[in-house]
Protein backbone atom coordinates (compact mmCIF):
# COMPACT_ATOMS: atom_id res chain seq x y z
CA UNK A 1 0.00 0.00 0.00
CA UNK A 2 1.47 3.40 -0.89
CA UNK A 3 0.13 6.87 -0.45
CA UNK A 4 1.46 9.78 -2.46
CA UNK A 5 2.09 12.80 -0.33
CA UNK A 6 1.35 16.02 -2.16
CA UNK A 7 3.26 18.25 0.22
CA UNK A 8 1.54 20.57 2.66
CA UNK A 9 -1.46 19.25 4.56
CA UNK A 10 -4.78 20.07 2.90
CA UNK A 11 -7.60 22.27 4.08
CA UNK A 12 -11.06 21.64 5.51
CA UNK A 13 -13.81 23.99 4.39
CA UNK A 14 -17.53 24.26 4.87
CA UNK A 15 -19.33 25.06 1.63
CA UNK A 16 -23.03 25.69 1.13
CA UNK A 17 -23.09 27.90 -1.98
CA UNK A 18 -23.23 26.54 -5.52
CA UNK A 19 -21.37 29.69 -6.57
CA UNK A 20 -18.28 28.68 -4.57
CA UNK A 21 -15.34 28.39 -7.03
CA UNK A 22 -14.26 25.03 -5.57
CA UNK A 23 -17.76 23.65 -6.18
CA UNK A 24 -17.78 25.12 -9.69
CA UNK A 25 -14.50 23.33 -10.51
CA UNK A 26 -15.86 20.02 -9.22
CA UNK A 27 -19.17 20.42 -11.08
CA UNK A 28 -17.16 21.07 -14.26
CA UNK A 29 -15.76 17.52 -13.99
CA UNK A 30 -19.00 16.35 -15.61
CA UNK A 31 -17.36 17.44 -18.90
CA UNK A 32 -14.36 15.62 -20.40
CA UNK A 33 -12.73 18.92 -21.39
CA UNK A 34 -12.52 19.99 -17.74
CA UNK A 35 -11.61 16.49 -16.49
CA UNK A 36 -8.64 16.60 -18.83
CA UNK A 37 -7.76 20.21 -17.94
CA UNK A 38 -7.76 19.34 -14.23
CA UNK A 39 -6.41 15.79 -14.84
CA UNK A 40 -9.13 14.72 -12.41
CA UNK A 41 -12.24 12.59 -12.03
CA UNK A 42 -14.93 11.91 -9.47
CA UNK A 43 -15.85 8.68 -7.66
CA UNK A 44 -18.82 8.30 -5.34
CA UNK A 45 -19.15 6.34 -2.11
CA UNK A 46 -17.19 5.92 1.12
CA UNK A 47 -16.03 2.36 0.37
CA UNK A 48 -14.73 3.36 -3.07
CA UNK A 49 -12.78 6.28 -1.66
CA UNK A 50 -11.22 4.10 1.06
CA UNK A 51 -10.30 1.43 -1.52
CA UNK A 52 -8.79 4.07 -3.81
CA UNK A 53 -6.56 5.44 -1.04
CA UNK A 54 -5.56 1.91 -0.03
CA UNK A 55 -4.53 1.27 -3.65
CA UNK A 56 -2.35 4.41 -3.70
CA UNK A 57 -4.51 6.73 -5.82
CA UNK A 58 -3.95 10.46 -5.30
CA UNK A 59 -6.94 12.25 -3.79
CA UNK A 60 -7.31 15.92 -4.63
CA UNK A 61 -10.55 16.66 -2.79
CA UNK A 62 -12.87 14.77 -0.47
CA UNK A 63 -16.43 16.03 -0.36
CA UNK A 64 -18.83 14.86 2.30
CA UNK A 65 -22.37 15.70 3.36
CA UNK A 66 -22.92 17.65 6.57
CA UNK A 67 -25.20 14.78 7.61
CA UNK A 68 -22.14 12.47 7.70
CA UNK A 69 -20.48 14.57 10.42
CA UNK A 70 -19.80 12.38 13.42
CA UNK A 71 -19.51 9.22 11.31
CA UNK A 72 -16.19 7.74 12.46
CA UNK A 73 -15.27 6.22 9.08
CA UNK A 74 -15.95 9.50 7.26
CA UNK A 75 -13.95 11.51 9.79
CA UNK A 76 -11.07 9.05 9.47
CA UNK A 77 -10.98 9.33 5.67
CA UNK A 78 -11.21 13.14 5.97
CA UNK A 79 -8.19 13.20 8.28
CA UNK A 80 -6.32 10.87 5.92
CA UNK A 81 -7.11 13.18 2.97
CA UNK A 82 -5.84 16.26 4.82
CA UNK A 83 -2.65 14.43 5.84
CA UNK A 84 -2.09 13.52 2.18
CA UNK A 85 -2.38 17.18 1.15
CA UNK A 86 -5.92 16.98 -0.27
CA UNK A 87 -8.75 19.40 0.45
CA UNK A 88 -11.85 18.40 2.39
CA UNK A 89 -15.20 20.05 1.75
CA UNK A 90 -18.11 19.65 4.08
CA UNK A 91 -21.13 20.49 1.93
CA UNK A 92 -24.91 20.78 2.00
CA UNK A 93 -27.15 18.15 0.39
CA UNK A 94 -27.95 20.74 -2.32
CA UNK A 95 -24.26 21.03 -3.27
CA UNK A 96 -23.77 17.24 -3.31
CA UNK A 97 -26.82 16.80 -5.54
CA UNK A 98 -25.44 19.41 -7.96
CA UNK A 99 -21.95 17.87 -8.00
CA UNK A 100 -23.13 14.31 -8.62
CA UNK A 101 -26.17 15.28 -10.73
CA UNK A 102 -28.38 12.83 -8.92
CA UNK A 103 -31.05 12.88 -6.24
CA UNK A 104 -30.19 11.07 -3.01
CA UNK A 105 -26.44 11.33 -3.66
CA UNK A 106 -23.90 9.26 -1.74
CA UNK A 107 -22.65 11.05 1.37
CA UNK A 108 -19.00 10.87 0.26
CA UNK A 109 -17.39 11.80 -3.06
CA UNK A 110 -13.69 11.80 -3.92
CA UNK A 111 -11.90 13.74 -6.66
CA UNK A 112 -8.81 11.84 -7.80
CA UNK A 113 -5.99 12.36 -10.29
CA UNK A 114 -6.48 10.43 -13.53
CA UNK A 115 -4.03 7.65 -14.24
CA UNK A 116 -3.22 5.85 -17.51
CA UNK A 117 -0.57 3.15 -17.83
CA UNK A 118 1.79 3.82 -20.80
CA UNK A 119 1.39 1.12 -23.47
CA UNK A 120 5.15 0.52 -23.56
CA UNK A 121 5.05 -0.50 -19.88
CA UNK A 122 2.65 -3.38 -20.58
CA UNK A 123 4.79 -6.50 -20.95
CA UNK A 124 2.50 -9.50 -20.39
CA UNK A 125 4.00 -12.69 -18.99
CA UNK A 126 2.85 -16.10 -17.68
CA UNK A 127 -0.89 -16.48 -18.21
CA UNK A 128 -1.67 -12.74 -18.07
CA UNK A 129 -4.81 -11.72 -19.94
CA UNK A 130 -5.25 -8.21 -21.37
CA UNK A 131 -8.33 -6.89 -23.18
CA UNK A 132 -8.11 -4.49 -26.13
CA UNK A 133 -11.31 -2.57 -26.89
CA UNK A 134 -11.66 -1.07 -30.34
CA UNK A 135 -13.33 2.40 -30.25
CA UNK A 136 -15.68 1.54 -27.37
CA UNK A 137 -18.51 4.09 -27.40
CA UNK A 138 -20.81 3.33 -24.52
CA UNK A 139 -19.72 4.36 -20.98
CA UNK A 140 -21.85 1.62 -19.40
CA UNK A 141 -20.17 -1.01 -21.60
CA UNK A 142 -16.68 0.26 -20.75
CA UNK A 143 -17.41 0.37 -17.03
CA UNK A 144 -18.92 -3.12 -17.10
CA UNK A 145 -15.91 -4.49 -19.02
CA UNK A 146 -13.50 -2.95 -16.47
CA UNK A 147 -15.51 -4.51 -13.63
CA UNK A 148 -15.52 -7.88 -15.41
CA UNK A 149 -11.75 -7.75 -16.05
CA UNK A 150 -11.30 -7.21 -12.32
CA UNK A 151 -13.69 -10.05 -11.42
CA UNK A 152 -12.05 -12.51 -13.82
CA UNK A 153 -8.53 -11.65 -12.64
CA UNK A 154 -7.42 -10.32 -16.02
CA UNK A 155 -4.68 -7.68 -15.96
CA UNK A 156 -6.07 -4.59 -17.65
CA UNK A 157 -7.57 -2.88 -20.66
CA UNK A 158 -6.15 -1.09 -23.69
CA UNK A 159 -8.47 1.44 -25.32
CA UNK A 160 -7.74 1.59 -29.04
CA UNK A 161 -8.70 4.61 -31.17
CA UNK A 162 -11.38 7.19 -30.28
CA UNK A 163 -13.16 5.93 -27.21
CA UNK A 164 -15.52 6.98 -24.49
CA UNK A 165 -13.75 8.39 -21.43
CA UNK A 166 -12.89 5.81 -18.73
CA UNK A 167 -13.04 8.63 -16.17
CA UNK A 168 -16.56 9.88 -16.92
CA UNK A 169 -18.96 9.68 -13.99
CA UNK A 170 -21.09 7.12 -15.84
CA UNK A 171 -18.15 4.81 -16.62
CA UNK A 172 -16.72 5.10 -13.11
CA UNK A 173 -20.17 4.28 -11.65
CA UNK A 174 -20.47 1.19 -13.86
CA UNK A 175 -17.04 -0.08 -12.75
CA UNK A 176 -18.33 -0.28 -9.15
CA UNK A 177 -14.85 0.61 -7.88
CA UNK A 178 -12.86 -1.55 -10.30
CA UNK A 179 -11.56 1.62 -12.02
CA UNK A 180 -9.08 1.76 -9.12
CA UNK A 181 -7.95 -1.87 -9.52
CA UNK A 182 -7.68 -2.27 -13.31
CA UNK A 183 -4.88 -0.51 -15.24
CA UNK A 184 -6.13 1.39 -18.30
CA UNK A 185 -3.97 2.23 -21.34
CA UNK A 186 -4.97 4.12 -24.45
CA UNK A 187 -3.41 4.03 -27.90
CA UNK A 188 -3.97 5.01 -31.49
CA UNK A 189 -4.55 2.00 -33.78
CA UNK A 190 -1.04 2.53 -35.23
CA UNK A 191 0.68 2.57 -31.82
CA UNK A 192 -1.36 -0.44 -30.73
CA UNK A 193 -0.44 -2.44 -33.85
CA UNK A 194 3.24 -1.59 -33.28
CA UNK A 195 3.03 -2.81 -29.68
CA UNK A 196 1.13 -5.94 -30.76
CA UNK A 197 4.10 -7.02 -32.94
CA UNK A 198 6.11 -7.69 -29.76
CA UNK A 199 3.25 -9.41 -27.93
CA UNK A 200 4.56 -12.86 -27.00
CA UNK A 201 1.31 -14.76 -26.63
CA UNK A 202 -2.02 -15.45 -28.33
CA UNK A 203 -3.91 -12.55 -29.84
CA UNK A 204 -7.52 -13.71 -29.90
CA UNK A 205 -9.99 -11.50 -31.75
CA UNK A 206 -13.74 -11.94 -31.55
CA UNK A 207 -15.75 -11.56 -34.71
CA UNK A 208 -19.24 -12.40 -35.89
CA UNK A 209 -17.59 -14.02 -38.91
CA UNK A 210 -14.98 -15.83 -36.78
CA UNK A 211 -14.32 -19.36 -38.04
CA UNK A 212 -13.35 -20.83 -34.66
CA UNK A 213 -15.69 -21.76 -31.78
CA UNK A 214 -14.23 -20.00 -28.71
CA UNK A 215 -14.80 -23.18 -26.64
CA UNK A 216 -12.46 -25.22 -28.85
CA UNK A 217 -9.35 -23.14 -28.14
CA UNK A 218 -6.63 -24.18 -25.70
CA UNK A 219 -5.36 -20.86 -24.38
CA UNK A 220 -2.51 -22.70 -22.62
CA UNK A 221 -0.16 -21.13 -20.15
CA UNK A 222 0.82 -18.07 -22.13
CA UNK A 223 -0.38 -14.49 -22.28
CA UNK A 224 -3.63 -13.76 -24.10
CA UNK A 225 -4.68 -10.49 -25.69
CA UNK A 226 -8.44 -10.52 -26.22
CA UNK A 227 -9.57 -8.08 -28.90
CA UNK A 228 -13.17 -6.88 -28.92
CA UNK A 229 -14.81 -4.84 -31.67
CA UNK A 230 -16.74 -1.60 -31.65
CA UNK A 231 -20.43 -1.82 -30.72
CA UNK A 232 -21.73 -0.81 -34.17
CA UNK A 233 -19.04 -1.92 -36.58
CA UNK A 234 -17.12 -4.76 -34.98
CA UNK A 235 -13.33 -5.08 -35.50
CA UNK A 236 -12.03 -3.23 -38.59
CA UNK A 237 -9.89 -5.26 -41.03
CA UNK A 238 -6.53 -3.86 -39.84
CA UNK A 239 -7.21 -5.01 -36.26
CA UNK A 240 -8.83 -8.31 -37.30
CA UNK A 241 -5.81 -9.09 -39.53
CA UNK A 242 -3.50 -8.59 -36.54
CA UNK A 243 -5.20 -11.41 -34.61
CA UNK A 244 -3.78 -14.96 -34.44
CA UNK A 245 -7.34 -16.34 -34.41
CA UNK A 246 -10.82 -14.91 -34.92
CA UNK A 247 -13.22 -16.56 -32.49
CA UNK A 248 -16.99 -16.72 -32.49
CA UNK A 249 -19.42 -17.30 -29.65
CA UNK A 250 -22.09 -19.53 -31.24
CA UNK A 251 -25.60 -18.20 -30.78
CA UNK A 252 -29.10 -19.60 -31.04
CA UNK A 253 -32.20 -17.46 -31.46
CA UNK A 254 -32.77 -14.27 -33.42
CA UNK A 255 -30.30 -11.75 -31.94
CA UNK A 256 -27.53 -10.84 -34.42
CA UNK A 257 -24.87 -10.44 -31.77
CA UNK A 258 -24.20 -10.18 -28.05
CA UNK A 259 -23.73 -6.90 -26.24
CA UNK A 260 -20.01 -5.99 -26.16
CA UNK A 261 -19.67 -6.28 -22.37
CA UNK A 262 -21.56 -9.58 -22.28
CA UNK A 263 -19.36 -11.03 -25.06
CA UNK A 264 -16.24 -9.83 -23.19
CA UNK A 265 -17.50 -11.56 -20.03
CA UNK A 266 -18.19 -14.84 -21.84
CA UNK A 267 -14.69 -14.78 -23.38
CA UNK A 268 -12.84 -13.77 -20.21
CA UNK A 269 -14.41 -16.46 -18.07
CA UNK A 270 -13.54 -19.07 -20.71
CA UNK A 271 -9.93 -17.87 -21.08
CA UNK A 272 -9.50 -17.69 -17.29
CA UNK A 273 -11.41 -20.96 -16.64
CA UNK A 274 -8.36 -22.84 -15.34
CA UNK A 275 -7.35 -20.02 -13.00
CA UNK A 276 -10.75 -19.61 -11.29
CA UNK A 277 -11.49 -21.63 -8.17
CA UNK A 278 -14.43 -21.48 -5.81
N1 LIG B 1 -22.71 -5.16 -35.84
C1 LIG B 1 -21.50 -5.47 -35.17
C2 LIG B 1 -20.64 -6.42 -36.02
O1 LIG B 1 -20.99 -6.61 -37.17
O2 LIG B 1 -19.61 -6.90 -35.59
C3 LIG B 1 -21.82 -6.07 -33.82
C4 LIG B 1 -20.78 -5.78 -32.84
S1 LIG B 1 -21.02 -6.54 -31.27
C5 LIG B 1 -22.34 -5.67 -30.60
C6 LIG B 1 -19.64 -5.92 -30.41
C7 LIG B 1 -18.49 -6.84 -30.29
O3 LIG B 1 -18.82 -7.91 -29.39
C8 LIG B 1 -18.08 -7.55 -31.56
O4 LIG B 1 -17.24 -6.75 -32.36
C9 LIG B 1 -17.34 -8.75 -31.01
O5 LIG B 1 -16.07 -8.36 -30.56
C10 LIG B 1 -18.20 -9.11 -29.81
N2 LIG B 1 -19.26 -10.08 -30.10
C11 LIG B 1 -20.58 -9.95 -29.89
N3 LIG B 1 -21.24 -11.09 -30.19
C12 LIG B 1 -20.29 -11.97 -30.59
C13 LIG B 1 -20.32 -13.35 -31.02
N4 LIG B 1 -21.46 -14.02 -31.10
N5 LIG B 1 -19.15 -13.92 -31.34
C14 LIG B 1 -17.98 -13.27 -31.27
N6 LIG B 1 -17.90 -11.97 -30.87
C15 LIG B 1 -19.02 -11.33 -30.53
Amino acid sequence: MSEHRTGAPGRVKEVTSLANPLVKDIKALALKKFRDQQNAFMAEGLKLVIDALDLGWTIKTLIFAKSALGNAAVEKIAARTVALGGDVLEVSEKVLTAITRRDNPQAVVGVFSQRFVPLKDIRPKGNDVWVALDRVRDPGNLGTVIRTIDAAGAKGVILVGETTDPFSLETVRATMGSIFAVPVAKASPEAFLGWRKDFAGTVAGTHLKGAVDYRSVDFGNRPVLLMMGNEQQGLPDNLADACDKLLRIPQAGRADSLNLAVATGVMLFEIRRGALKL
Side-chain angles (χ1 to χ4, degrees):
M1 188 192 315
S2 71
E3 293 191 352
H4 304 290
R5 292 197 164 269
T6 54
R11 306 161 293 177
V12 184
K13 287 195 166 175
E14 196 183 331
V15 178
T16 49
S17 164
L18 292 176
N20 183 297
L22 294 170
V23 172
K24 282 190 162 170
D25 278 354
I26 296 167
K27 271 183 69 188
L29 295 176
L31 296 178
K32 181 168 180 345
K33 177 179 156 194
F34 294 109
R35 284 196 294 278
D36 289 350
Q37 255 174 30
Q38 298 182 37
N39 184 37
F41 71 104
M42 222 190 303
E44 300 151 286
L46 176 63
K47 182 178 177 301
L48 247 71
V49 173
I50 294 172
D51 285 353
L53 290 192
D54 286 349
L55 287 166
W57 285 70
T58 302
I59 188 160
K60 290 171 173 270
T61 308
L62 179 84
I63 304 125
F64 72 87
K66 258 189 199 339
S67 58
L69 263 183
N71 176 317
V74 173
E75 290 190 350
K76 195 169 158 197
I77 204 76
R80 215 170 145 189
T81 301
V82 172
L84 287 165
D87 292 336
V88 175
L89 305 183
E90 180 199 317
V91 302
S92 59
E93 177 95 11
K94 183 182 72 183
V95 169
L96 256 188
T97 302
I99 286 174
T100 59
R101 296 166 178 249
R102 59 163 42 170
D103 295 333
N104 303 316
Q106 301 250 17
V108 175
V109 172
V111 175
F112 294 89
S113 299
Q114 295 186 14
R115 195 188 279 179
F116 285 99
V117 52
L119 190 60
K120 65 176 174 44
D121 291 354
I122 302 175
R123 296 185 206 95
K125 54 181 182 341
N127 62 357
D128 287 359
V129 179
W130 281 79
V131 176
L133 295 180
D134 154 45
R135 298 164 299 154
V136 56
R137 281 281 176 272
D138 182 86
N141 276 347
L142 177 55
T144 306
V145 167
I146 290 174
R147 180 181 180 184
T148 308
I149 287 173
D150 187 10
K155 292 293 172 192
V157 65
I158 303 167
L159 305 176
V160 183
E162 280 286 306
T163 68
T164 192
D165 183 10
F167 295 112
S168 71
L169 199 48
E170 215 181 333
T171 305
V172 171
R173 270 180 194 149
T175 72
M176 297 294 288
S178 294
I179 189 70
F180 296 114
V182 173
V184 178
K186 58 181 175 181
S188 65
E190 297 72 31
F192 172 75
L193 287 169
W195 173 86
R196 180 267 172 268
K197 285 200 181 99
D198 296 327
F199 183 84
T202 305
V203 180
T206 54
H207 205 287
L208 298 187
K209 294 195 181 119
V212 181
D213 183 327
Y214 79 109
R215 296 165 300 183
S216 68
V217 179
D218 177 6
F219 290 99
N221 197 26
R222 51 199 308 253
V224 176
L225 176 65
L226 172 66
M227 272 171 60
M228 306 297 301
N230 164 271
E231 290 99 331
Q232 275 85 43
Q233 293 154 15
L235 283 177
D237 289 348
N238 62 342
L239 294 185
D241 291 347
C243 296
D244 295 316
K245 306 171 197 295
L246 285 181
L247 310 181
R248 181 151 35 117
I249 305 167
Q251 297 181 200
R254 290 186 57 229
D256 290 337
S257 65
L258 293 166
N259 160 274
L260 167 66
V262 170
T264 309
V266 169
M267 291 302 304
L268 279 178
F269 278 82
E270 179 63 22
I271 297 167
R272 295 276 303 151
R273 178 187 288 266
L276 302 173
K277 303 272 180 285
L278 269 188

